[in-house]
Amino acid sequence: MSYITKTFSQKYRLLNELIFGFFLYNFSFLFPRHKPKRVLVALTYHCNSRCIMCNIWKMIPKNELSLDEWSSMFSDPLFSDIETLDITGGEAFLAKGFIKKITLFLEKMPKIKRVTIVSNGFSTNLIVKRIKKLVKLLNSRGITLNISISLDGTEKMHETIRRVPQAFKKTTSTILKLKKLEQNHSNLSVSVGSLIMHQNLDSIEEVISWLKNNKIDYGLQIVGFHDTYVDNLDTEDSTDFQKRDKSKLFTLLKDLSKPTSWRDVRSYYWRDLLAMYKDKKRRTTPCPFLQDQLAVDSLGNIYNCFSTSAVGNIRNKQTPSDIYLSPKNLKHRKKMWNAVCKKCNSGCSASEATAKDFKSYLYFRLTGKPFYGFKNIFK
């Protein structure tokens, strides 16, 4: 695929997604029981990191889903319209039968157009080897692949947060090798995700500088705390922002909320977070998991999102559709926005959701403020 063809294809796909999203996000009452378009999969809970803000590494997962069980899950009609597959962990590349499982997912969800994998980047050789195989598999099917490597600091800071010897050296080695691989594969893109917390707030600019110097795309995320999935409530006192951090945090959020162009929809999310942290406002950034996403894990659990408790398990003789579309869960999902989402700082797919929810972003670009509803405009 030539660069011109690739660029045109990407723009056409984006336009198609935005048109669909326009109706979905602004007229959602017309789609009360639509199937999700995107699924987030925790492929394994095995992890070779020891992060100070996450407890997944403490798990010793036993009896994770077999290939047949994964097949049974994704054979359910609930997943027939999935277009984006997001893979996480634990450390996703440590999953046994990694390529076999991804191949199975593609067969069971034939509408997939994009695959994203999040990794800590510590197992350089294993990751590069598996990506070389995967990128060819996806290219033969016209599917794009994005690899997001986590990097939270330079030198000792990344080692302090991840608690892995030579963490910065290992992670950056993987990033740079993948960037070289990217040059030879038109369907591969490599980016970096950085998590901001108390420990690295003063030095996050060093990470950004390193990424810019190496011409690497990146995204930032604020640390969050949940009693499910990462199960990290016990880390809040040590990793959440403290009083002395407020001024620097507000300055950072304010800088990030300045749009660089009309395509910079992520700026809305950062302006929203500024209002949440500084003014104690509720979240207004649309939550994609309420509209067209869901999450599943390697133990068979089905989630509305990983920030909430599992709503069922396929090993309990329930199908994904039975669980996700049950009257009980549909009722719960209607209450999630007020009960959970308004307090959530997660930026998962926030850019895509905001791009589709045009009214909120347009209001932000015209006023510089988050959109709290039409009834508040003239107050």
Side-chain angles (χ1 to χ4, degrees):
M1 183 185 293
S2 69
Y3 173 78
I4 295 177
T5 303
K6 177 183 177 182
T7 302
F8 176 80
S9 176
Q10 290 175 339
K11 289 184 176 180
Y12 173 79
R13 183 177 298 170
L14 176 61
L15 179 61
N16 181 59
E17 290 177 355
L18 291 180
I19 291 174
F20 171 80
F22 169 83
F23 288 101
L24 176 61
Y25 278 73
N26 298 282
F27 301 95
S28 58
F29 59 90
L30 297 175
F31 306 92
R33 297 184 67 170
H34 71 281
K35 295 179 182 178
K37 292 281 186 178
R38 188 167 185 164
V39 61
L40 174 57
V41 179
L43 194 60
T44 181
Y45 281 105
H46 287 285
C47 191
N48 53 355
S49 186
R50 298 293 182 267
C51 301
I52 63 174
M53 67 294 181
C54 174
N55 285 326
I56 286 179
W57 61 271
K58 294 181 179 180
M59 293 180 61
I60 303 177
K62 297 180 180 179
N63 195 27
E64 292 191 300
L65 294 181
S66 67
L67 199 63
D68 286 342
E69 287 178 305
W70 280 115
S71 177
S72 177
M73 178 189 288
F74 288 130
S75 293
D76 190 279
L78 182 68
F79 300 100
S80 62
D81 289 344
I82 294 295
E83 296 179 354
T84 300
L85 171 64
D86 295 323
I87 302 290
T88 186
E91 170 53 34
F93 288 101
L94 295 181
K96 295 181 180 179
F98 177 84
I99 296 296
K100 286 185 178 180
K101 288 175 180 176
I102 302 298
T103 302
L104 173 69
F105 298 168
L106 299 180
E107 292 173 350
K108 295 298 180 179
M109 296 178 280
K111 293 185 179 180
I112 288 178
K113 301 175 183 176
R114 180 170 53 242
V115 174
T116 298
I117 304 177
V118 178
S119 170
N120 58 40
F122 293 147
S123 303
T124 302
N125 293 334
L126 175 66
I127 292 170
V128 172
K129 179 181 178 180
R130 288 189 162 179
I131 288 180
K132 284 182 178 179
K133 292 182 179 180
L134 184 58
V135 75
K136 291 181 180 179
L137 172 66
L138 297 180
N139 189 47
S140 67
R141 299 171 183 242
I143 300 172
T144 60
L145 172 63
N146 177 65
I147 304 297
S148 177
I149 305 296
S150 301
L151 182 66
D152 306 318
T154 57
E155 303 302 337
K156 288 295 183 181
M157 179 54 68
H158 192 51
E159 187 171 318
T160 295
I161 292 176
R162 299 285 167 165
R163 290 190 289 205
V164 171
Q166 296 185 313
F168 181 73
K169 181 179 180 180
K170 292 177 180 179
T171 299
T172 54
S173 174
T174 300
I175 293 170
L176 296 177
K177 286 187 178 182
L178 292 180
K179 286 299 291 184
K180 288 184 179 180
L181 189 64
E182 180 186 52
Q183 298 173 6
N184 300 319
H185 297 279
S186 60
N187 67 321
L188 173 64
S189 63
V190 180
S191 61
V192 164
S194 298
L195 188 66
I196 307 172
M197 64 195 81
H198 165 68
Q199 279 76 1
N200 65 356
L201 179 61
D202 290 336
S203 59
I204 196 65
E205 290 296 337
E206 295 176 12
V207 181
I208 295 174
S209 178
W210 186 90
L211 294 169
K212 288 183 176 179
N213 289 339
N214 286 278
K215 299 180 180 179
I216 298 169
D217 292 333
Y218 66 92
L220 304 176
Q221 170 67 48
I222 299 292
V223 65
F225 304 96
H226 309 284
D227 59 0
T228 65
Y229 185 50
V230 294
D231 190 23
N232 66 345
L233 292 182
D234 63 318
T235 72
E236 187 170 5
D237 288 343
S238 60
T239 60
D240 199 9
F241 304 107
Q242 301 177 11
K243 287 184 178 180
R244 65 177 182 271
D245 297 328
K246 286 186 177 181
S247 177
K248 184 158 290 186
L249 175 63
F250 296 161
T251 298
L252 174 64
L253 294 177
K254 187 175 181 180
D255 289 341
L256 291 171
S257 66
K258 296 175 182 177
T260 56
S261 70
W262 273 93
R263 296 178 62 185
D264 182 18
V265 292
R266 185 84 173 176
S267 58
Y268 181 91
Y269 164 72
W270 293 118
R271 180 62 182 86
D272 205 15
L273 276 194
L274 177 61
M276 290 173 66
Y277 277 90
K278 186 177 182 180
D279 305 319
K280 308 299 180 184
K281 296 284 189 177
R282 59 180 174 83
R283 175 189 175 116
T284 67
T285 304
C287 177
F289 284 91
L290 281 181
Q291 299 285 0
D292 56 359
Q293 295 190 34
L294 82 163
V296 304
D297 73 7
S298 60
L299 301 177
N301 293 307
I302 305 291
Y303 299 81
N304 290 308
C305 78
F306 280 144
S307 297
T308 60
S309 300
V311 293
N313 190 294
I314 63 168
R315 284 173 166 169
N316 294 332
K317 297 183 179 180
Q318 292 178 293
T319 68
S321 289
D322 289 340
I323 297 169
Y324 187 75
L325 297 177
S326 69
K328 181 179 179 180
N329 190 46
L330 290 175
K331 184 178 180 180
H332 171 66
R333 286 171 61 81
K334 289 182 179 180
K335 297 179 179 179
M336 276 182 61
W337 176 252
N338 288 315
V340 180
C341 303
K342 286 183 179 180
K343 304 173 185 177
C344 180
N345 70 352
S346 175
C348 292
S349 305
S351 296
E352 295 91 333
T354 303
K356 296 172 181 178
D357 187 18
F358 80 101
K359 64 182 183 302
S360 298
Y361 183 58
L362 178 61
Y363 182 80
F364 161 66
R365 290 306 304 268
L366 293 175
T367 68
K369 302 176 182 179
F371 180 69
Y372 291 102
F374 292 106
K375 63 181 181 180
N376 295 306
I377 291 179
F378 301 105
K379 286 186 177 180

